[in-house]
Amino acid sequence: DPVVPPEDVAAFQDEMRNAGVDWQLHSYGGAVHSFTIEGAGNDPSSGSAYDERAHKRSWRLLMDFLRETV
């Protein structure tokens, strides 16, 4: 995601580790910001674009998470 600098991702990971919480971070190769929004277009070089494969994968992971926590 070109919108979030790698240093911010690393800081988030450190914060979660230090908090001792159960967390996951998923990265989808080739996907950029707004990858779940069909109206985001289809040009990843713009920094925001829909990615159907990443969208479907992230949706499955969300459903898994909700089943686990409900």
Side-chain angles (χ1 to χ4, degrees), residues 12-24:
F12 170 78
Q13 292 174 321
D14 288 342
E15 185 176 347
M16 294 297 102
R17 284 187 197 103
N18 292 336
V21 298
D22 183 14
W23 66 282
Q24 297 178 5

Side-chain angles (χ1 to χ4, degrees), residues 6 11 25 30 40 43 48 54 60 63 65:
L25 177 69
D43 180 10
S48 292
R60 283 192 301 268
M63 294 297 104
F65 171 77

Side-chain angles (χ1 to χ4, degrees), residues 1-4 28 30-44 46-52 54-55 58:
D1 187 337
V3 176
V4 181
Y28 302 97
V32 294
H33 203 71
S34 303
F35 70 88
T36 63
I37 301 171
E38 290 185 37
N42 60 3
D43 180 10
S46 72
S48 292
Y50 179 67
D51 185 310
E52 182 178 7
H55 182 186
S58 70

